[in-house]
Amino acid sequence: MGDLQGTGVETETPVPRFRRVMLKISGEALMGDQGYGLHPPTVERIAREVKAVRDMGVEVCMVIGGGNIFRGLQGSAQGMERTTADYMGMLATVMNALAMQSALEAMGVFTRVISAIPMDQVCEPYIRRRAVRHLEKKRVCIFAAGTGNPYFTTDTAATLRASEMGCEAIFKGTKVDGVYDKDPKQHPDARRFDRIGYTEVLARNLGVMDASAIALARDNDLPIIVFSLDEPGGFRGIIEGRGTYTVVHG
């Protein structure tokens, strides 16, 4: 309980609905209105959203894609060997993670970038117990380089790390405020789901995450909360129990 200064009115501090969460965002989310690369004001805006949730006492993990710099599938489609292309995509996620770490630490948020591919001079290698300890100390952990293996997306990496860290939910930040039966930008009559099952998402190919990530979340009973990353305060709002979103669950 807090007191509004000078009014004598008691105010309640919202109790977070979650203790530990995974935030998954695409690399494209960091581009802003640019067609490529990093847009520092956008990176800073997302960092503020993360800080607001961390300041509530919630332990936050992150996985950021690399599509704003290099996407393995696109490289493969252009004739590059798939394994090489995927490793290049993993390195792009490290670059994005370091940019987000810089933005968060400029705001006073202690952050660790943890890579599935060892590169000790740049960031920490992935050791599960060490990562859990960072979270317990309220440090934001950004997991980079995917799973460290080609042929796996950052969606699957986020679900894997969320399961290993004991997260209570995966927050998938997108351009729309939930899961729709069809693209709402192209179809005004698109219907948003408040809740939908893993199996239906797979059967209808709704594109929430790739099939491997959805199946892994289902097997570990890990809910996926899809929300708009463009909505100011949206991440914190859902943690507090308000806002518009879709829950993918069993």
Side-chain angles (χ1 to χ4, degrees):
M1 300 282 283
D3 178 52
L4 288 176
Q5 190 172 8
T7 66
V9 177
E10 290 282 326
T11 61
E12 290 192 5
T13 302
V15 177
R17 298 166 58 204
F18 302 95
R19 179 184 59 85
R20 180 179 294 169
V21 299
M22 166 66 73
L23 174 63
K24 166 61 172 69
I25 62 176
S26 67
E28 288 89 339
L30 306 183
M31 292 191 308
D33 295 329
Q34 302 175 153
Y36 177 83
L38 291 158
H39 183 237
T42 300
V43 176
E44 183 180 330
R45 177 181 63 79
I46 295 172
R48 282 197 299 270
E49 298 279 335
V50 174
K51 180 180 186 299
V53 169
R54 198 290 311 250
D55 287 349
M56 297 175 69
V58 178
E59 297 167 8
V60 181
C61 310
M62 294 183 72
V63 167
I64 307 172
N68 58 318
I69 299 171
F70 188 88
R71 187 180 292 277
L73 276 173
Q74 290 177 351
S76 178
Q78 293 172 11
M80 187 177 291
E81 194 269 325
R82 173 66 188 271
T83 301
T84 299
D86 279 356
Y87 278 122
M88 291 173 68
M90 291 179 217
L91 295 178
T93 71
V94 176
M95 296 171 69
N96 285 337
L98 292 172
M100 182 59 64
Q101 178 186 44
S102 178
L104 284 165
E105 293 196 333
M107 299 175 186
V109 178
F110 292 110
T111 307
R112 294 291 184 272
V113 173
I114 302 171
S115 173
I117 299 174
M119 47 184 83
D120 295 348
Q121 290 176 300
V122 176
C123 50
E124 293 186 9
Y126 176 68
I127 299 172
R128 190 187 70 84
R129 288 180 179 272
R130 182 187 292 176
V132 168
R133 185 60 177 151
H134 287 322
L135 290 171
E136 291 171 347
K137 291 183 176 181
K138 307 304 178 187
R139 297 166 180 158
V140 173
C141 287
I142 307 175
F143 296 104
T147 65
N149 302 288
Y151 296 94
F152 289 93
T153 67
T154 50
D155 281 345
T156 301
T159 309
L160 174 64
R161 296 294 184 237
S163 301
E164 290 178 300
M165 293 298 105
C167 292
E168 296 166 348
I170 300 173
F171 281 71
K172 176 72 182 286
T174 69
K175 294 288 186 181
V176 293
D177 58 357
V179 180
Y180 286 78
D181 59 352
K182 47 192 170 185
D183 189 344
K185 294 182 179 179
Q186 297 182 11
H187 303 277
D189 61 338
R191 180 172 66 91
R192 185 181 60 81
F193 300 98
D194 287 327
R195 306 181 75 85
I196 188 170
Y198 304 111
T199 303
E200 186 174 358
V201 166
L202 289 171
R204 298 178 64 161
N205 195 26
L206 293 176
V208 176
M209 286 180 158
D210 66 76
S212 297
I214 295 291
L216 184 58
R218 178 190 61 196
D219 292 348
N220 289 281
D221 196 23
L222 186 61
I224 303 167
I225 298 172
V226 183
F227 72 106
S228 173
L229 197 64
D230 293 335
E231 180 68 28
F235 186 23
R236 175 169 180 152
I238 299 169
I239 296 286
E240 293 176 344
R242 52 187 174 81
T244 304
Y245 54 90
T246 296
V247 180
V248 181
H249 64 112

